[in-house]
Amino acid sequence: MAGVVADPQQTKFVLDESRIPRSWYNIAADLPVAPPPVLHPGTHEPIGPGDLAPLFPMELIKQEVSQQRWIEIPDEVRDVYRLWRPSPLYRARRLEKALGTPAHIYYKYEGVSPAGSHKPNTAVAQAYYNKKEKVTRLSTETGAGQWGSALSLACQMFGLQCKVYMVKVSYQQKPYRRIMMETWGAQVVASPSPDTQSGKKVLEQDPNSPGSLGIAISEAVEDAATRDDTKYSLGSVLNHVLMHQTVIGQEAKKQLEKADAAADIVIGCAGGGSNFAGLSFPFAADKLTGKNKKVRIIAVEPAACPSLTRGKYVYDFGDTVGLTPLVKMHTLGHTFIPAPLHAGGLRYHGMAPLVCKLYDEGVIEAQAVPQIATFEAALQFARTEGVIPAPESAHAIRVAIDEAQRAKRDGKRRTILFNLSGHGHFDLGAYEAYLGGKLQDYEYPSAKVDEALKSVPKV
Ligand SMILES: Cc1ncc(COP(=O)(O)O)c(C=O)c1O
């Protein structure tokens, strides 16, 4: 019977394939005030579909600006989703016990996808729409390598070529991610690369540049803009990308019902904002529509790259060189180069405009956590629940544990839900550094934030 848990020790809440969501949820339809428009980098006027056409297929451009609440997921995309969706929801019984907390902790595990993270949820959709519009090649950037692997996989599924600009520090730290992408047929180069004008420009200034997501985005955008057969694909930040990820939160809601539970706190790590949005937007919908105003929603970022908590809510470029349109977002300045912390996927200077809007309106909260405390949480999780989390996801675990400890102090039985956005099987170098006592905390200095913010264009 729905809502009644037959087994009080049940740990895993699964749904069958027929319950893969049939539509993506578009939060734009429920926002009381629309986010500020995206502006042309030259004219500072709002951009239209024509401005984005060299980079994206028309169907994705339509989704980017859509005000429709539900957008149907094509059968071809749902068919690929069947390989790993619906992903399981776990009750973290062993972690709860270790913490001695009255809180109930649930996590949605996206590491079951072939690429090991939530990223294929949008990669598959993007490859599909490009294929449908006769595009034959996609270019993209990758930080930790998770997004690059997801897109390589998706391109392989739909017979597209794929070129990945991989942030140099990750390229060096994570050879196995590169091999994975190549196994799925992609071409991978370290960014900054000599293959583009943007890459050459950075290399001239600093031949040893460790790279950044912003630089890699410049390269991938230039690649797509200068070739007829190629479009660009972005793994986070944009409205349509966040929307594709909402399959996570929709499933989690059904699974919590199965567990006869309702979330009091929903937590996700935030790099560009996509896994956070994917889990939390279906819950934010309940807040916006008045169905459940009490749920707390927390985005967690690294103290070394604190765009929501310490960045400014202004118009800035999405990339480093200044090729992309201007978006209003919490930014550390597009020239920001973060310390080489081990959560490569969280090293982005900006944040998804939709996440920023919700933060600005007070619908969601944000916290920044230091690297060492994050790895402490990752270890506690791995040693109780078994899964070795991606360092990015461990940021969400840190705050989930903090909240569970707070529930213990308050003597409250809160229900905490977090997104375990990926596994850390290709991040063992980071675990080795932590176990060997070699990790450092980086607090981003205020003076550097102020300095990088000077590069933000005056709009
Ligand atoms: C496992 C994992 N989680 C989270 C992120 C951060 O991205 P986003 O904020 O778009 O979810 C990444 C990025 O690469 C990732 O690989």
Side-chain angles (χ1 to χ4, degrees):
M1 208 163 57
V4 176
V5 187
D7 176 357
Q9 287 309 309
Q10 192 167 347
T11 297
K12 200 159 73 283
F13 297 87
V14 290
L15 301 169
D16 64 40
E17 283 172 27
S18 66
R19 308 207 53 201
I20 295 172
R22 293 188 180 272
S23 303
W24 292 300
Y25 167 60
N26 179 14
I27 201 166
D30 288 323
L31 288 178
V33 184
V38 173
L39 304 180
H40 190 281
T43 62
H44 292 186
E45 291 297 321
I47 57 164
D51 295 307
L52 294 173
L55 294 183
F56 302 106
M58 203 37 81
E59 200 51 43
L60 291 178
I61 296 173
K62 282 191 199 150
Q63 290 183 3
E64 188 61 20
V65 296
S66 172
Q67 292 294 316
Q68 204 180 309
R69 183 171 287 108
W70 297 102
I71 293 185
E72 196 179 329
I73 305 176
D75 284 344
E76 292 86 341
V77 174
R78 283 185 87 242
D79 276 347
V80 182
Y81 281 175
R82 283 173 195 273
L83 288 170
W84 71 93
R85 303 217 72 82
S87 66
L89 178 83
Y90 285 85
R91 166 104 182 258
R93 294 186 182 276
R94 290 165 179 78
L95 176 63
E96 288 170 14
K97 198 163 164 215
L99 296 170
T101 176
H104 288 189
I105 307 174
Y106 291 87
Y107 57 95
K108 180 77 169 152
Y109 186 35
E110 289 296 306
V112 293
S113 80
S117 79
H118 63 294
K119 298 278 178 180
N121 296 330
T122 183
V124 169
Q126 294 190 43
Y128 166 77
Y129 288 116
N130 274 287
K131 172 79 178 182
K132 210 170 153 217
E133 293 183 30
K134 310 227 173 341
V135 175
T136 58
R137 182 176 174 274
L138 291 182
S139 65
T140 197
E141 71 292 328
T142 195
Q146 291 270 24
W147 167 243
S149 3
L151 193 71
S152 306
L153 164 76
C155 282
Q156 186 55 235
M157 294 273 159
F158 290 103
L160 300 172
Q161 290 172 47
C162 184
K163 169 124 182 215
V164 183
Y165 295 86
M166 185 171 187
V167 177
K168 196 194 281 169
V169 60
S170 296
Y171 186 93
Q172 288 161 347
Q173 279 172 2
K174 299 184 179 189
Y176 293 122
R177 278 271 164 207
R178 169 177 57 76
I179 297 164
M180 221 170 152
M181 292 184 252
E182 289 168 350
T183 302
W184 280 317
Q187 187 197 350
V188 188
V189 290
S191 166
S193 80
D195 297 8
T196 64
Q197 294 308 321
S198 318
K200 278 187 201 150
K201 203 166 136 189
V202 178
L203 287 173
E204 269 163 28
Q205 282 166 5
D206 178 8
N208 298 318
S209 162
S212 72
L213 264 185
I215 296 171
I217 294 173
S218 303
E219 292 206 85
V221 167
E222 183 187 322
D223 181 317
T226 52
R227 287 179 62 142
D228 285 343
D229 61 349
T230 301
K231 297 253 187 246
Y232 168 65
S233 180
L234 189 62
S236 192
V237 180
L238 298 176
N239 302 347
H240 67 268
V241 179
L242 272 54
M243 186 186 74
H244 296 154
Q245 294 293 352
T246 58
V247 288
I248 304 174
Q250 292 183 61
E251 288 175 7
K253 276 184 145 181
K254 291 182 205 157
Q255 287 162 313
L256 282 177
E257 256 174 51
K258 266 191 131 179
D260 205 14
D264 297 307
I265 307 175
V266 178
I267 303 167
C269 69
S274 75
N275 87 90
F276 166 74
L279 178 70
S280 71
F281 279 9
F283 293 88
D286 293 345
K287 252 183 132 158
L288 292 168
T289 56
K291 201 168 151 197
N292 175 5
K293 286 200 172 227
K294 285 210 299 246
V295 60
R296 284 179 64 206
I297 301 174
I298 310 173
V300 190
E301 55 187 13
C305 189
S307 37
L308 277 174
T309 51
R310 291 184 50 207
K312 245 189 174 160
Y313 190 37
V314 291
Y315 274 100
D316 197 7
F317 294 107
D319 67 330
T320 298
V321 174
L323 294 176
T324 68
L326 293 166
V327 285
K328 189 157 180 191
M329 59 182 176
H330 285 267
T331 176
L332 296 163
H334 63 279
T335 55
F336 162 86
I337 304 251
L341 76 154
H342 280 280
L346 304 185
R347 300 171 78 239
Y348 182 56
H349 66 270
M351 182 60 66
L354 282 173
V355 171
C356 294
K357 183 75 190 155
L358 291 172
Y359 183 55
D360 199 52
E361 300 274 329
V363 179
I364 64 163
E365 305 164 34
Q367 287 183 30
V369 294
Q371 179 162 248
I372 292 176
T374 299
F375 272 88
E376 276 164 19
L379 248 76
Q380 188 166 25
F381 186 80
R383 289 178 180 181
T384 49
E385 293 298 311
V387 177
I388 298 176
E392 290 84 0
S393 321
H395 289 71
I397 301 177
R398 175 70 268 160
V399 172
I401 291 178
D402 291 347
E403 287 296 335
Q405 282 165 335
R406 210 167 57 84
K408 185 176 172 180
R409 284 195 301 277
D410 297 349
K412 290 265 163 62
R413 212 222 78 179
R414 296 196 182 100
T415 299
I416 299 168
L417 167 68
F418 73 86
N419 203 4
L420 185 58
S421 52
H423 66 64
H425 299 176
F426 297 92
D427 303 287
L428 295 179
Y431 279 88
E432 185 181 32
Y434 173 74
L435 292 168
K438 295 197 181 106
L439 277 199
Q440 286 169 14
D441 275 338
Y442 302 94
E443 182 86 23
Y444 201 68
S446 296
K448 276 195 150 179
V449 176
D450 295 343
E451 185 60 36
L453 281 170
K454 283 190 196 143
S455 65
V456 167
K458 301 266 172 297
V459 175

